[in-house]
Amino acid sequence: MTAVLGGLDIGGTKCAAVIGTETDGGIEIADKIAFPTPSGPEAAITRLCRELEELLARHGHPPLAAVGISCGGPLDSRSGLVLSPPNLPGWDRFNVVAPVRERFGVPVGLQNDANACALAEWKWGAGRGTQNMIFLTFGTGMGAGLILNGRLYAGANDMAGEVGHMRLAEDGPEGYGKAGSFEGFCSGGGIARLAAAMTVEWLAAGKRTLLAADRGAAAGITAKAVGEAAQAGDELALAVMRTVGRQLGRGLAVLVDVLNPERIVIGSIYARQRELLEPVVMEELRREALAVSLQACEIVPAGLGEQVGDAASLSVARLALEGRQKERTGGADSG
C-alpha cells in the first residue's frame, strides 16, 4: 500500500480507527477497528493510537502521511482541544492532537464531526466540484459544515454551522434546549418527540395508527419507526414527515438566502426518506427562498452513504497534510 491517511473518530458511545488511501477523486477505506468509547479521554486516545498501529501492521506498515480526528464539539481545532462535549463527560479542555502527533510524528488535524463530514462530501462525495457547499448532518442531531469560497469555514471559535439552534417555530419539539428549533424538527430525536406528541392527539381523537396502539406506547416511538410507517402509508406517520419536510425546507431557505450555496448535501435521514421529504421540502423552498438564489442551488443526499463517518476523519487528515505542505512551500491557504 502507498502512503495512507489515518483517521480517528471519537463518539459518545463508539470510537473507531480507520486507514485509507485517496484515489482519483475518491477515497478507498482500507481497514477499520471500532470499539465502545472508553471511560476518560486518556484511555480513549491510548486505545485509538494502539488500534491505528494495529491497522498499519496488518497492511505491512505503509508510510502514514497524516492523521485526522473527528469529534463532537465544542472544540478548538487550532489548539487541538476538545471542550467538554455533552456526550463526552470528562473531556474538559483535553488536547487530543498532541499525543497522536507525538506517537506518529505526522501532521494531525482536529475538526468537529459536521465539519469533517462536510470535507469528506466536498472532496469525495456529493459536493465534488463545488466552491460553496453546505453539509447537513440530519441524523441524531442537526448540524452543518460549511465550505465557502473553496475552503472550510469554521468561524471565529469553531462554532460556525450550529444551524440546529435556529428557532423555526414558536412551539414544537425541543432540540438544543430550544422548543421549535431546526434540530427539534429535523433530527432523529426531534422526529421521535414530534411523532409522540402527534400520536397522543391522534389516539385521543379515536384514530388508529401503526406508530402506537395506545398513549403509553407513544413515548417509545423512534424516527426509524416513523419512516417505516410512512413508507407503509400510515396517515399519521405521513403527516409527521410532512411537518418535518416543511420545517426542513424552511431551514434550508434561510441557508440558501444567507449563504447562496451551489449545493446543499444532506445526510442520514434525508438520504433514507428522500422520496417522502423532497417534494415537501422543495415546495417550501420555492415559497420561502429567493428565486434567483434557489435556481443556483441543488439539494442532494449525501454521496458517501454509510462510509461518510469513516471518510470524515480521513478528510481531516487530508486537510492537515495540505496545511503542512503549504507551510513548507509558503503557499496561500486555499482550504
Side-chain angles (χ1 to χ4, degrees), residues 179-224:
S181 66
F182 198 0
E183 180 168 290
F185 285 106
C186 300
S187 66
I191 292 172
R193 287 186 287 274
L194 175 65
M198 292 177 66
T199 296
V200 169
E201 296 178 1
W202 191 265
L203 294 173
K207 300 177 182 179
R208 302 172 70 87
T209 174
L210 294 174
L211 294 177
D214 53 54
R215 293 182 59 177
I221 295 172
T222 63
K224 180 181 179 182

Side-chain angles (χ1 to χ4, degrees), residues 4-335:
V4 301
L5 299 173
L8 306 178
D9 182 47
I10 302 170
T13 60
K14 182 184 69 174
C15 288
V18 60
I19 58 173
T21 55
E22 201 167 14
T23 63
D24 291 337
I27 186 72
E28 181 179 339
I29 307 298
D31 211 343
K32 173 183 175 179
I33 297 174
F35 53 91
T37 301
S39 178
E42 292 87 356
I45 288 299
T46 298
R47 175 78 183 273
L48 280 164
C49 288
R50 187 168 71 244
E51 301 299 4
L52 182 53
E53 288 176 336
E54 168 62 22
L55 291 175
L56 294 169
R58 288 182 187 177
H59 293 267
H61 297 283
L64 182 64
V67 178
I69 304 172
S70 171
C71 182
L75 50 78
D76 181 343
S77 63
R78 295 170 185 85
S79 301
L81 300 177
V82 177
L83 307 174
S84 300
N87 64 342
L88 288 170
W91 292 63
D92 185 13
R93 297 189 63 81
F94 181 77
N95 193 318
V96 294
V97 167
V100 179
R101 186 187 292 129
E102 291 168 9
R103 186 84 166 254
F104 295 98
V106 297
V108 180
L110 169 68
Q111 290 292 335
N112 70 49
D113 43 11
N115 284 352
C117 287
L119 284 168
E121 284 289 340
W122 179 45
K123 291 297 184 183
W124 305 315
R128 286 172 59 184
T130 63
Q131 288 292 299
N132 298 281
M133 185 207 88
I134 300 170
F135 174 79
L136 296 179
T137 58
F138 198 3
T140 303
M142 170 58 81
L146 310 176
I147 304 296
L148 303 179
N149 293 328
R151 60 178 292 173
L152 176 68
Y153 178 76
N157 64 346
D158 283 304
M159 291 299 288
E162 297 290 358
V163 298
H165 195 248
M166 296 191 306
R167 195 187 299 275
L168 299 180
E170 285 302 311
D171 196 16
E174 187 175 294
Y176 268 82
K178 182 185 287 186
S181 66
F182 198 0
E183 180 168 290
F185 285 106
C186 300
S187 66
I191 292 172
R193 287 186 287 274
L194 175 65
M198 292 177 66
T199 296
V200 169
E201 296 178 1
W202 191 265
L203 294 173
K207 300 177 182 179
R208 302 172 70 87
T209 174
L210 294 174
L211 294 177
D214 53 54
R215 293 182 59 177
I221 295 172
T222 63
K224 180 181 179 182
V226 175
E228 290 173 347
Q231 294 286 354
D234 183 80
E235 186 178 353
L236 175 59
L238 287 168
V240 172
M241 296 304 288
R242 282 194 296 272
T243 298
V244 172
R246 282 195 300 272
Q247 297 298 346
L248 178 58
R250 192 165 297 176
L252 293 181
V254 174
L255 299 176
V256 167
D257 287 352
V258 173
L259 296 176
N260 192 202
E262 299 159 66
R263 201 166 297 158
I264 298 178
V265 179
I266 314 178
S268 297
I269 292 171
Y270 185 78
R272 292 192 291 269
Q273 300 295 337
R274 183 182 185 185
E275 184 179 354
L276 290 174
L277 291 172
E278 186 175 55
V280 183
V281 167
M282 296 309 301
E283 180 182 359
E284 193 70 17
L285 264 171
R286 286 189 287 268
R287 180 162 43 241
E288 294 289 335
L290 290 167
V292 175
S293 298
L294 183 57
Q295 287 170 6
C297 182
E298 294 179 276
I299 312 296
V300 299
L304 293 173
E306 299 305 315
Q307 277 198 324
V308 67
D310 298 333
S313 57
L314 297 179
S315 73
V316 179
R318 185 186 191 278
L319 186 66
L321 183 60
E322 288 177 348
R324 173 65 62 84
Q325 291 168 342
K326 285 164 187 165
E327 286 176 8
R328 289 174 174 171
T329 60
D333 181 10
S334 65

